[in-house]
Amino acid sequence: MRLSNYFSFSKTVMSMMSAYRLEFMVWIILSPLGLLIKYYIWKAVFEFNAGGTIAGYTFETMLAYYAIMYVMGSIVFSDEDLEMSRSVNSGDISIAFTKPFSIFLIDLFNGFGTNIFAIIFEMVPMALIIFFLFKIKTAGLVFTVLSIISFFIAHLLNYTLSFTFGLSSFWLKDYYGVGKAKNVIVDLMSGSFMPLDIFPVSLKNIFENQPFAYIYFYPAKIFIGNFSVNECFFILIKQLAWLGIFYLISVLAWKKATEKFTGEGI
Amino acid sequence: MIKKYASLFLKYLELEILRMSTYRANLVIYAIFSLVGNLFGPFATYIIYGISKGIQGWTFYELLLFQGCLVFVYGFAHFAFMSMTWRMSRSIEQGSLDQILTKPINPLALISISNTDIDGLFEFLLGLILIIYSILNLNLVFNFVNSAYFVVLLICGIIVEYSFSIILTGLAFLTVKTRSVLEAFWSLESFGEYPFVIYERVLTFIFTFILPFGLAANYPATALIKGLSSVFFLELVGVTSAFLLFSIGAWNLCIRKYTSAGG
C-alpha cells in the first residue's frame, strides 16, 4: 500500500468534520478567552514588578509564547488516545485487523483530516484574531517558519504519544484514568501550562531535558526568537530523535497489546 | 421529607461507589492525577512568587489561601452535584431522562441528589488542606465577623456553582448536545481563578454581580484576609440568593419546553 493512498482516509474525516463547523466557531471565540486570562495575570505580575524582564521574559515575549501555543494548538492536537480506547472497547479494532493497512498510519491520516479541517476553520481565523487583538510581535520570518516546522514535528510526537497511551485500553477496562494522567503530565511537562525555563533551577534542568518539552516549549521558544538559527536546527534534530524513540516504544507497545487482544472487545 | 431525600442521596452515593469499584485501576489513577491537576494553581503561584514579587495586594500564602478556597468550592460542587451537567446531556440523548420525569419526586431534587462524583471528594479534601496550611502560615487576626463572613461566602460560592449547574443542565433540555455550552462556561469560569485586582473595573463588576464567579474564591479569601464591609457582604449574599432563584426559574422554563428526543 502506497503512503499516498492513506490520504483518502484524511479526506473522509474532513467531510465528516464539516458537521461540527458550529462547534469550531464556538471554540474560536472561546479560545482567546484563555489567552486573555494569561494576559491579565502576567500584566499584573509585570506591572507590580515595575516592568523590565522576569526570568528572561519581557511582557511581550511572555504573551507571544502563550499566543503561539494557542494558535498552533490546531496543528499539535491529537485525540488518538480517545479514538484508540473507543475502538478497543467497542471491539471495532478487530475490523481494522482484517484490513491490509497499518493501523498506526490509518489513524495518523484520519487525524490529519481533523487537523487540516482545524487549520482552515480554527487556526487561521484564530491567528488573525489573536495577533490583531494582542498585538503579538514575531521575531522574524525565519523563526516563524522554523517554529511552524517544529510544531508539525510536535504533532507527530503528540500523535505517537497518544497512540501509545491509547493502547493502555487493551489492559485496563476504561481509559478515563489514564487519559487524565496523560493530560496532566503533558500539560505540566510540555510547557503548555507555563514556560519551563521559569521554574526553579533544579526543576528547570529536569523539565528542559525531557521529551515532552518538545511538544510545546521548544517550538514556542523558537517562535519568540530565543535561539539562534543554528540552535533551532539542533532543536529540530533532537525533536526528530525523540520522535524516533517514541515511535519505537509505540511499536513495542503495539506488539504487546495485540498479543493480549482476543477480539471480542474489552 | 428531608429524611426521604437524605436516604435517597445515600443510596445514590452507594451506587456511585459501586460503579467506581468496577473500574478500580482507573479510579485510582484518575484520583491521583486529578489531585495533581488541582495543584497546578498553587504550583503556578509558587513559580511566580519565586521569580517575582507576585501580584499587587497578595502575598504568597494569601494567594495560596485563595486557591485553597477555589479547590474547596469546585471540589465540593464536583463531589455533590456538578456531574449533573454532563450526565444529563447524555441521558437526554439516550432518552433516559423520561424515566426520571415519571418518578414520584421533584425532578430537580432527584437530579440534584443523584449525581455525586467520588473524584470530587478528594479535591474537596485537598482544598481543605490548602486552606488550613495557608492559614497556619498567615498571621491572621481572627475575629468573629471575618470568620463568619468567610464561612458564609464559601457556602455562597457552592450555591453559585449549584445555580450554574442547574442552568447548564436546563439548557441541555433545549439544545440536547451541550458539550460546547459547557466548554464555554468553563472558559468563562476560569476568570474566577485569579484575584480580581488583575482585572479592569468592568470585568470585576461582571464577575461579582452578573456571573458571580468571584464567590468561589475571591470574596471568601478577601473576607478572611482583609475583611469586607457589612454592606458589601450583604450584597454578595443577595446576589447569591437572586442567582439561585433565577436558576430555578430558568430550570422551570426549560423543563416546560422539553420534548423527548432519544431513539
Side-chain angles (χ1 to χ4, degrees), chain B residues 13-81:
Chain B
L13 190 60
E14 203 185 312
L15 282 174
E16 165 74 10
I17 293 168
L18 277 177
R19 192 181 68 81
M20 286 308 218
S21 52
T22 13
Y23 299 108
R24 215 168 293 138
N26 264 289
L27 169 68
V28 174
I29 301 171
Y30 189 94
I32 292 170
F33 280 92
S34 156
L35 286 183
V36 176
N38 274 287
L39 285 171
F40 273 26
F43 183 63
T45 310
Y46 166 71
I47 302 272
I48 289 178
Y49 279 78
I51 55 170
S52 70
K53 288 189 291 173
I55 48 177
Q56 195 173 10
W58 292 81
T59 65
F60 173 68
Y61 284 108
E62 286 172 351
L63 204 51
L64 204 60
L65 176 70
F66 178 101
Q67 263 135 6
C69 296
L70 196 73
V71 177
F72 178 87
V73 169
Y74 285 4
F76 186 85
H78 184 189
F79 164 62
F81 50 75

Side-chain angles (χ1 to χ4, degrees), chain A residues 40 48-49 174 176-177 193 199, chain B residues 26 30 40 47 53-54 200:
Chain A
Y40 278 117
F48 188 48
N49 288 272
D174 216 352
Y176 77 93
F193 166 62
F199 289 4
Chain B
N26 264 289
Y30 189 94
F40 273 26
I47 302 272
K53 288 189 291 173
E200 281 125 13

Side-chain angles (χ1 to χ4, degrees), chain A residues 215-229:
Chain A
I215 298 178
Y216 279 113
F217 176 69
Y218 284 111
K221 289 283 277 184
I222 292 176
F223 177 76
I224 61 174
N226 245 260
F227 301 112
S228 68
V229 175

Side-chain angles (χ1 to χ4, degrees), chain B residues 142-155 223-224 233:
Chain B
F142 283 98
N143 60 47
F144 175 73
V145 175
N146 282 5
S147 321
Y149 284 6
F150 175 66
V151 174
V152 172
L153 289 177
L154 278 181
I155 295 170
L224 190 64
F233 170 74

